[in-house]
Amino acid sequence: MVGLLLFMIPAAIILLHIDVLITLCVFLPLFCVVAIAQAMRQRQQQLRAASREATGLLTGAIGEIFSAVQAIQVAGAEASAVDYFSRLSRIRQRQILKDTVFFSALQSVFGNTVGIGTGLILVLAALYRHLNPGDIAIFISYLGTITTFIVSAASLLTQYTQARVSHQRLVSLLQGADEEILLNNDPLYLKQPLPELKVPVKADRDRLTVLAVNNLTYHYPDTGRGIANISFQVQRGTLTVITGRIAAGKTTLVQTLLGLLPKEEGEITWNGQRVLEPANFFVPPHSAYTPQVPHLFSDTLEENILLGIPPEHVDIPQALRLAVLEPDIAHLEHGLQSIIGTRGVKLSGGQAQRVAAARMLVRDSELFVFDDISSALDVETEQLLWQRLLAQHQNTCLVISHRKAVLQQANNIIVLKNGQVEAMGTLPELLSTSEEFRYIWHGAYKQFSSMTPGLENPI
């Protein structure tokens, strides 16, 4: 673009010296092209945003359908799911067609500018009759290069508009993090072999004594909701439970602590040492995390637990025992080598949660973070899971849960309300001092007993 600009300036001077009127008439359609491109930027941006949004809805629906295959089958909703998918497909098809046709039309207008300019030169030359063949040759020759610059500038404006839409979608996924990380260079292993996976090795300096969180704050950019001024400590060998009503900020707190969301304010210390980059620090051997919805892959059960770690470097039987998975594996036809299907579709909800727990427990970490890991477990399996985990006194757990089996065994309970700490303490302390916690503890029972007359002796 710079080279074309340096050529265009003297070329324009030469053409103006030959004939001012013809030069202005020739340049007029070129500048009209730029004006059209500029005027159509907003429309182009709207069409590209609509096509990307339609694509996002469709791909999201694919993920939801695959992750809920059993629920769809049980409800007999296969036809409805297919109709919904087809409707989103048609919407996406229309939006992409509009975007493509509009972009192609602009490109066609830009591409035909040279022909329009050449035609104007010949018409004006015939009318005025004072241009010699050399002048006409210079006009037509220079016109091609000048037009290339103008058309390139117009195309660049159009492509910039499209790229801006994609960039904005990427920025929205960063949840307020610095946009510069989009420019970070990472190696692409397209042809060369993948690097060897390093097995985390725990050293004495990694040992957790106390994890301290002070004034941790994060708000979602689009809604303003989040957490504010959260402070607490986690001592080694203890079970700390974060509880609260729906949308109290429990998952947001854990994700901000682990660096999955960028904190706005606050300080995190590990044994008194400040953690500057939580996302890089809270990984094995320091910490291991199981989200509320575990991510499983269409591979063997063993590979879903190991995720590339050589089996000889870890204690798989111990992880299976702690996750209470031995009975389930015994009933699988191929045991650990059983293929579990896309997103673990061949497993029940409780089995999927325990596979994710085994994946975490197989990595020798100082801090285990669970996000409602026992929500799909029956009472007996849940109690056995926590008994085995807490029987090993070196295990330090930070858990999101409202389940009474977990709250009863907690050393410390953090009650959240509207993104802030409402109360903190042991189970007896909170039952006697915190109205919010009493609602959480008794609320589910009261709602259930109101629908079931005669039910007595709440748990």
Side-chain angles (χ1 to χ4, degrees):
M1 294 295 291
V2 174
L4 289 172
L5 180 62
L6 293 176
F7 175 87
M8 190 182 74
I9 294 174
I13 294 173
I14 293 173
L15 295 180
L16 287 170
H17 180 72
I18 295 174
D19 192 286
V20 175
L21 179 60
I22 295 179
T23 302
L24 293 178
C25 291
V26 169
F27 272 70
L28 181 60
L30 301 181
F31 289 114
C32 288
V33 166
V34 177
I36 291 172
Q38 186 67 24
M40 293 294 104
R41 284 182 63 182
Q42 184 175 2
R43 179 59 178 166
Q44 181 71 43
Q45 185 170 344
Q46 292 173 348
L47 290 173
R48 179 51 58 99
S51 68
R52 289 293 172 263
E53 182 179 357
T55 301
L57 290 174
L58 181 63
T59 55
I62 293 174
E64 291 172 356
I65 290 172
F66 272 108
S67 62
V69 168
Q70 292 178 336
I72 292 173
Q73 291 176 334
V74 169
E78 294 95 332
S80 298
V82 173
D83 289 342
Y84 177 64
F85 176 77
S86 299
R87 185 166 66 254
L88 291 178
S89 297
R90 290 191 296 270
I91 293 173
R92 175 180 178 269
Q93 183 184 40
R94 288 195 298 268
Q95 295 298 341
I96 289 183
L97 183 61
K98 291 179 182 178
D99 183 30
T100 303
V101 169
F102 190 82
F103 178 74
S104 299
L106 288 179
Q107 293 297 102
S108 178
V109 171
F110 301 158
N112 287 306
T113 305
V114 176
I116 295 173
T118 303
L120 278 174
I121 292 172
L122 296 176
V123 170
L124 292 172
L127 291 175
Y128 282 91
R129 299 181 182 274
H130 67 272
L131 291 182
N132 59 49
D135 294 334
I136 296 176
I138 290 177
F139 262 102
I140 295 176
S141 176
Y142 284 0
L143 179 65
T145 306
I146 295 172
T147 303
T148 300
F149 171 78
I150 301 295
V151 172
S152 297
S155 298
L156 184 61
L157 289 175
T158 303
Q159 293 171 8
Y160 173 79
T161 301
Q162 294 177 336
R164 185 180 180 183
V165 173
S166 299
H167 177 260
Q168 289 173 343
R169 289 173 62 85
L170 287 173
V171 170
S172 66
L173 295 175
L174 296 179
Q175 297 287 355
D178 187 2
E179 297 179 18
E180 291 298 321
I181 66 174
L182 294 174
L183 303 178
N184 291 346
N185 292 323
D186 291 311
L188 294 176
Y189 300 99
L190 299 179
K191 296 181 180 179
Q192 62 270 41
L194 293 172
E196 183 179 354
L197 186 64
K198 295 182 180 180
V199 180
V201 179
K202 187 187 298 183
D204 291 338
R205 65 178 180 273
D206 299 320
R207 178 184 173 88
L208 172 63
T209 302
V210 58
L211 171 68
V213 177
N214 297 304
N215 297 320
L216 197 63
T217 300
Y218 171 78
H219 296 92
Y220 292 96
D222 51 346
T223 63
R225 299 177 62 88
I227 58 172
N229 305 319
I230 304 290
S231 299
F232 63 91
Q233 290 188 351
V234 177
Q235 303 288 337
R236 178 177 181 82
T238 61
L239 169 61
T240 301
V241 178
I242 302 171
T243 191
R245 306 190 197 190
I246 295 174
K250 304 181 293 296
T251 298
T252 302
L253 170 57
V254 166
Q255 292 184 345
T256 306
L257 168 66
L258 300 179
L260 300 177
L261 294 173
K263 63 182 177 69
E264 298 171 8
E265 298 179 10
E267 183 180 70
I268 304 169
T269 61
W270 181 279
N271 301 336
Q273 299 294 318
R274 187 176 181 183
V275 178
L276 299 178
E277 297 182 357
N280 295 328
F281 183 86
F282 285 107
V283 295
H286 295 125
S287 173
Y289 169 58
T290 297
Q292 190 172 12
V293 180
H295 297 281
L296 302 179
F297 307 93
S298 182
D299 209 326
T300 65
L301 191 63
E302 181 181 53
E303 188 54 41
N304 270 276
I305 294 174
L306 295 176
L307 289 184
I309 294 180
E312 61 270 15
H313 287 81
V314 295
D315 190 351
I316 296 181
Q318 172 71 352
L320 296 177
R321 191 188 74 82
L322 292 176
V324 198
L325 265 176
E326 321 102 296
D328 302 88
I329 293 175
H331 289 88
L332 294 175
E333 182 178 0
H334 301 291
L336 281 174
Q337 301 307 315
S338 300
I339 302 293
I340 64 174
T342 303
R343 298 188 178 221
V345 69
K346 295 183 180 180
L347 303 177
S348 68
Q351 288 173 330
Q353 286 185 329
R354 282 176 287 144
V355 169
R359 174 194 294 170
M360 178 174 66
L361 296 168
V362 83
R363 288 152 174 81
D364 187 18
S365 301
E366 287 290 295
L367 175 67
F368 295 119
V369 182
F370 300 85
D371 190 345
D372 207 11
I373 189 64
S374 58
S375 61
L377 302 183
D378 59 79
V379 175
E380 181 180 351
T381 302
E382 180 185 25
Q383 290 178 342
L384 185 58
L385 172 69
W386 291 110
Q387 286 175 2
R388 291 181 178 181
L389 278 174
L390 300 177
Q392 300 189 12
H393 299 294
Q394 73 272 19
N395 286 339
T396 306
C397 299
L398 178 63
V399 180
I400 294 176
S401 182
H402 63 276
R403 308 266 287 194
K404 294 186 176 182
V406 184
L407 294 170
Q408 288 171 334
Q409 302 186 59
N411 302 102
N412 187 35
I413 301 172
I414 303 168
V415 183
L416 295 185
K417 183 179 180 180
N418 297 327
Q420 295 183 322
V421 175
E422 177 72 11
M424 189 183 306
T426 62
L427 177 61
E429 292 172 348
L430 293 176
L431 285 174
S432 62
T433 61
S434 174
E435 181 179 351
E436 180 69 14
F437 182 75
R438 285 195 295 270
Y439 174 85
I440 296 170
W441 180 261
H442 296 296
Y445 164 73
K446 289 180 179 179
Q447 294 174 5
F448 180 70
S449 61
S450 65
M451 296 183 293
T452 313
L455 184 65
E456 299 179 352
N457 298 326
I459 297 176

